[in-house]
Amino acid sequence: MLTKAEYIWLDGSSPPQLRSKVKIIDLVEGQKPPIWGFDGSSTLQAEGSSSDCVLFPAFVCENSLEHSGILVLCEVLNTNLTAHKSNTRQECAKIAKIYEGHECWFGLEQEYTLMKYKRPMGWPLDDEPPPQGDYYCGNGAGLVAGREIVSEHLNACLDAGLQICGTNAEGMLGQWEFQVGALGPVEVSDQLWIARFLLQRIAEDYGVGVSYDAKPIEGDWNGSGCHTNFSTKKMRAEGGITECYKACEALEKNAELHIQNYGTGSERRLTGEHETCSYKEFRWGVSDRGASIRIPWQVAKEKRGYIEDRRPNADCDPYVVTRLITESTCKTK
Ligand code: ADP
Ligand code: MN
Ligand code: MN
Ligand code: MN
C-alpha cells in the first residue's frame, strides 16, 4: 500500500534540531520502512565533498497530523552503516541494554515557550505583562495564551499512540509543559522527540514558534527545563526509599558531568532563583523545588517511588540525559 512516510532525524547542531522530509513508500503490512538518505552538508553532518548520510528507521508511529501516513524517527548513520557522530541514540540503547535488569523508568516534563513576533504568546509587543504568580495552571484570557495549540498537541500525541501523560500552563505567560512517560530510556526519548516534532508542526500552522530556550526572558521570569523523573525496580519496590537516596548520592558524585550534558543555558536558568538550585551546587531533598534533585512528598511518605532531577534544560537531548542517569545510578564501581 502506498504510504506517506515522514522521515525525521536530529541534525548536527547543538542542541540538535529536528529535520524531516517525506517519502512515498510501498509499505507491506508489518514491515519496517526502508532506509533512506539525505544531504548531510546542509545539516552540519557532512562536508559537501562527501555529503551522503543514511537514515535508519528506529521508531515508527501514526502521523496523527494527516488522514493517513506514518512518522519515522531515524538514527543517522554513515554510509558504512556505523553510527554518525551526531547519533546519540545508539549509545543510549547500548547503556539501556547493559542495565536492562534494573528496569529504569523515566518521565520527562518538557517545558517550552510559544513565540510570536519574537515575544512569548500573549505578551504585549512593547512591554511586559503583569508579573508572575497567576499564570501557572491558569485559566482565562490574559492568564494563558496558546491553549488551542496545547490542546491540539495533546490530542495529536494521543492519536499517534504516544505515552503523553499530562500538560499544564507554566509560570510565565506563554510558557507551557507536557509530560511523557514513564518509559525506558530509549522509549521515552523517542517519544519525546516525536512529541516535540508534533508540537513544532502544530504551532507552525498558527505562525507560532516553539522556544526551548532555558531562559527565554531575562529577569523575574521562570526558565524552561525538562525535569527528569527516574526510578529503578528497586526504588519502586517496598522500602525503595533507601535506593532513592543511593541514586541521589550517585548523581552527586557525577554532578559536573551531568550538568555539562543537560542542554544549553544552565548558567542563565540554574541561578538558585525561580525554583532552581544553582548549577554550581548540588543538593537533594524532600519536596524541595530549590534542590537539584527533589524527592516528591508521596515518595517520602510511601518510602518508595522515584526521584526528580530538576537540572536538565528544556533543549536537552533526552538520549543523553537518560543514558547518563542510567549509567551513573546503576553502575557499581
Ligand atoms: P511535577 O509535580 O514535578 O510538576 P509532573 O506531574 O509534571 O510533576 O510530572 C511527573 C512525572 O513523573 C511524569 O512524567 C510521570 O510519568 C513521572 N513518573 C511518575 N512515576 C514515576 C516513576 N515511578 N518513575 C519515573 N517517572 C515517574
Ligand atoms: Mn510538571
Ligand atoms: Mn514545570
Ligand atoms: Mn517537575
Side-chain angles (χ1 to χ4, degrees):
M1 197 182 64
L2 285 184
T3 305
K4 215 178 338 176
E6 183 135 11
Y7 280 60
I8 303 168
W9 72 98
L10 306 182
D11 71 10
S13 48
S14 175
Q17 305 294 311
L18 287 159
R19 306 275 182 144
S20 75
K21 57 179 185 155
V22 176
K23 185 179 178 65
I24 307 301
I25 55 177
D26 196 0
L27 194 66
V28 181
E29 184 94 23
Q31 255 184 25
K32 244 186 150 185
I35 62 171
W36 198 18
F38 67 98
D39 167 16
S41 71
S42 301
T43 61
L44 303 174
Q45 284 163 309
E47 298 295 330
S49 54
S50 162
S51 65
D52 284 335
C53 290
V54 174
L55 291 174
F56 185 81
F59 173 77
V60 180
C61 67
E62 290 293 311
N63 184 352
S64 47
L65 303 180
E66 300 272 353
H67 291 301
S68 72
I70 54 174
L71 300 176
V72 184
L73 182 66
C74 297
E75 281 189 16
V76 175
L77 305 183
N78 302 307
T79 47
N80 64 3
L81 303 189
T82 57
H84 186 271
K85 64 177 186 303
S86 64
N87 180 340
T88 49
R89 189 179 186 276
Q90 261 194 27
E91 193 61 21
C92 179
K94 189 179 119 195
I95 296 299
K97 183 89 190 136
I98 292 174
Y99 299 111
E100 195 173 34
H102 294 251
E103 297 181 23
C104 296
W105 291 359
F106 290 88
L108 306 179
E109 303 172 51
Q110 176 70 61
E111 293 179 336
Y112 60 94
T113 308
L114 295 173
M115 304 294 286
K116 187 125 190 173
Y117 310 121
K118 300 198 171 155
R119 303 279 280 166
M121 267 185 101
W123 281 49
L125 283 179
D126 50 1
D127 197 7
E128 295 204 340
Q132 257 184 208
D134 295 334
Y135 305 122
Y136 171 73
C137 297
N139 291 281
L143 293 177
V144 295
R147 194 188 298 279
E148 58 283 16
I149 294 171
V150 173
S151 305
E152 239 180 85
H153 175 249
L154 179 60
N155 290 331
C157 287
L158 290 170
D159 291 346
L162 304 185
Q163 205 165 306
I164 189 165
C165 56
T167 177
N168 60 269
E170 267 302 333
M172 179 175 74
L173 180 59
Q175 188 187 38
W176 294 85
E177 170 180 314
F178 65 85
Q179 303 101 31
V180 179
L183 290 163
V186 178
E187 292 75 14
V188 83
S189 304
D190 286 345
Q191 293 202 14
L192 186 74
W193 277 116
I194 294 287
R196 285 174 174 175
F197 173 83
L198 291 170
L199 178 62
Q200 288 166 223
R201 285 291 282 269
I202 289 165
E204 179 187 312
D205 288 347
Y206 290 84
V208 168
V210 179
S211 169
Y212 302 103
D213 192 281
K215 190 81 173 182
I217 306 286
E218 288 303 314
D220 206 6
W221 298 99
N222 274 21
S224 299
C226 185
H227 294 170
T228 300
N229 299 274
F230 166 71
S231 64
T232 59
K233 189 174 156 182
K234 282 187 181 167
M235 287 160 70
R236 296 187 294 270
E238 199 166 339
I241 190 82
T242 52
E243 288 293 323
C244 292
Y245 298 156
K246 275 193 212 163
C248 292
E249 284 159 8
L251 290 172
E252 178 157 26
K253 280 201 193 109
N254 296 284
E256 202 141 322
L257 173 70
H258 283 243
I259 280 283
Q260 281 161 7
N261 289 282
Y262 274 8
T264 61
S266 294
E267 356 32 73
R268 289 183 291 126
R269 170 174 162 259
L270 302 179
T271 56
E273 301 287 315
H274 304 107
E275 303 176 57
T276 69
C277 179
S278 164
Y279 70 98
K280 295 176 192 156
E281 292 170 40
F282 183 96
R283 280 204 316 278
W284 53 276
V286 174
S287 293
D288 186 356
R289 286 177 195 266
S292 319
I293 313 277
R294 177 177 66 107
I295 297 181
W297 68 271
Q298 324 89 286
V299 175
K301 190 166 167 229
E302 290 171 17
K303 301 202 181 327
R304 64 155 108 179
Y306 65 99
I307 60 173
E308 178 194 46
D309 190 340
R310 301 175 59 78
R311 298 169 296 168
N313 295 312
D315 69 0
C316 68
D317 178 352
Y319 294 126
V320 175
V321 172
T322 60
R323 166 175 65 79
L324 283 170
I325 295 178
T326 301
E327 203 168 19
S328 294
T329 56
C330 296
K331 75 170 176 241
T332 45
K333 312 144 281 212

